Amino acid sequence: MPAKNLLTIKANQQIADKIYKLELSGNYDLAEFAPGKFLHIKCSDSIEPMLRRPMSICDIDDAGKLMTVLYRADGKGTKLLSDKHAGDILDVLAPLGIEFPQDAVKPGQTALLIGGGIGVPPLYYLGRKLKQRGVKIKSILGFNSAKDVFYEDDFKSLGEVKISTMDGTYGHHGLVTDLIDQDWDTLYTCGPTAMLKAIQNIISKDKAAYMSLEERMACGIGACLACVCKSTDPNNTSYNRVCTEGPVFPLHAVNL
Ligand SMILES: Cc1cc2nc3c(=O)[nH]c(=O)nc-3n(C[C@H](O)[C@H](O)[C@H](O)COP(=O)(O)OP(=O)(O)OC[C@H]3O[C@@H](n4cnc5c(N)ncnc54)[C@H](O)[C@@H]3O)c2cc1C
Ligand code: FES
């Protein structure tokens, strides 16, 4: 059951164009706060905006004391979040959702992480935990432009990193899908729907592959159905709630 937590902000700093790094102190049960799970954050102290904003866990230090969240301050709620300072208290529902299946890749095997834009953050925590288990990490990170690139060095500390930008101002000029090779065992991805669809189209259904969806959410706890997505299984006629049955799904399990 997710708990309502009041967390203390340790830092909230801009690290790229509209991208902020939020650090939250607390006592995190590392088994519960696993990579892929998310927080539902109340961005202001007033009733507006009423809806919380879902944000992935980008990292938690190995002592379980400091959590990092990266977010794009581009809408009403996230702009209010960017006004918060060290020492402020943040109202957070967490942990929510299901985690990435880490045992889908074995020590000695290779995990390919593919992140697009603000879908990059949860893959960092996943990659760090997989590397600790002896998994080899390769990452492909896609952004619109050089000014949007973040966490390149952090991913480089895990293994090989390839960057693509849509306008060609940094790294490969084009899409993350241009950079995918066959030299990996398990794929994990998170990013915009168009990117996830393109990955679904080129990755065989026989391969171990998982995606995390960043749908719009309201309650975040399975009650309102604002976040539903359709299963590709013809025998499953019900909708999946991304907040409770996800946000992580097998790559080919959801009709995007
Ligand atoms: C599991 C998950 C993890 C995510 N992780 C991250 C992350 O790590 N970093 C990041 O930057 N972003 C992340 N996102 C995306 C992020 O939640 C949205 O970008 C953010 O909510 C936008 O808020 P805003 O205040 O900037 O925009 P606004 O446009 O002000 O608000 C958008 C939000 O309002 C709500 N909303 C508005 N209209 C409707 C409607 N018609 N129906 C239902 N809801 C509505 C939704 O909660 C929506 O998310 C994640 C999303 C999900 C689902
Ligand atoms: S956000 Fe309410 S059911 Fe998922």
Side-chain angles (χ1 to χ4, degrees):
M1 191 58 191
K4 182 168 153 160
N5 297 283
L6 294 176
L7 303 177
T8 304
I9 296 177
K10 299 303 278 183
N12 191 20
Q13 288 171 330
Q14 190 167 358
I15 58 166
D17 188 43
K18 295 184 181 168
I19 304 293
Y20 285 74
K21 178 177 180 178
L22 176 68
E23 291 177 294
L24 300 165
S25 68
N27 283 307
Y28 305 105
D29 177 344
L30 294 174
E32 287 286 319
F33 284 73
K37 295 202 174 200
F38 67 97
L39 321 178
H40 217 18
I41 298 180
K42 190 170 185 320
C43 294
S44 87
D45 298 328
S46 73
I47 56 164
E48 265 297 310
M50 200 178 73
L51 296 176
R52 291 170 181 268
R53 301 310 195 238
M55 296 288 160
S56 304
I57 302 169
C58 172
D59 200 16
I60 302 181
D61 71 331
D62 292 332
K65 298 289 180 204
L66 193 70
M67 185 191 303
T68 303
V69 172
L70 303 184
Y71 65 95
R72 181 190 288 131
D74 209 11
K76 192 173 177 183
T78 49
K79 279 183 182 160
L80 286 165
L81 189 59
S82 70
D83 289 337
K84 294 198 176 282
H85 299 104
D88 289 349
I89 301 295
L90 201 61
D91 177 336
V92 167
L93 269 183
L96 299 179
I98 64 160
E99 61 198 81
F100 286 110
Q102 293 184 49
D103 54 8
V105 60
K106 294 184 178 55
Q109 290 188 322
T110 299
L112 176 62
L113 313 179
I114 308 178
I118 206 57
V120 165
L123 299 174
Y124 178 69
Y125 188 26
L126 173 68
R128 217 172 61 72
K129 286 292 164 195
L130 292 178
K131 188 175 178 186
Q132 285 177 352
R133 281 185 42 232
V135 173
K136 188 178 164 205
I137 308 295
K138 290 169 53 168
S139 307
I140 303 175
L141 310 179
F143 302 92
N144 282 326
S145 189
K147 67 179 177 16
D148 304 313
V149 176
F150 58 87
Y151 259 47
E152 180 181 6
D153 288 343
D154 302 80
F155 276 87
K156 276 187 177 160
S157 72
L158 305 178
E160 174 194 307
V161 179
K162 293 179 187 165
I163 305 265
S164 70
T165 51
M166 297 293 280
D167 66 1
T169 48
Y170 193 75
H172 168 75
H173 185 177
L175 304 170
V176 288
T177 42
D178 303 337
L179 300 172
I180 299 175
D181 60 26
Q182 296 301 315
D183 184 20
W184 50 271
D185 299 287
T186 305
L187 181 154
Y188 300 93
T189 182
C190 184
T193 305
M195 183 194 95
L196 298 179
K197 267 189 188 174
I199 294 172
Q200 277 185 335
N201 286 337
I202 59 172
I203 300 300
S204 154
K205 291 184 178 166
D206 306 335
K207 297 285 277 185
Y210 301 87
M211 63 179 172
S212 182
L213 301 183
E214 299 203 332
E215 286 297 315
R216 288 196 146 204
M217 287 185 180
C219 73
I221 52 167
C224 73
L225 307 185
C227 64
V228 292
C229 63
K230 194 147 178 27
S231 167
T232 49
D233 177 357
N235 299 317
N236 179 1
T237 51
S238 60
Y239 283 85
N240 292 314
R241 293 162 299 179
V242 174
C243 64
T244 43
E245 279 89 50
V248 176
F249 294 93
L251 179 64
H252 293 285
V254 172
N255 246 325
L256 293 171

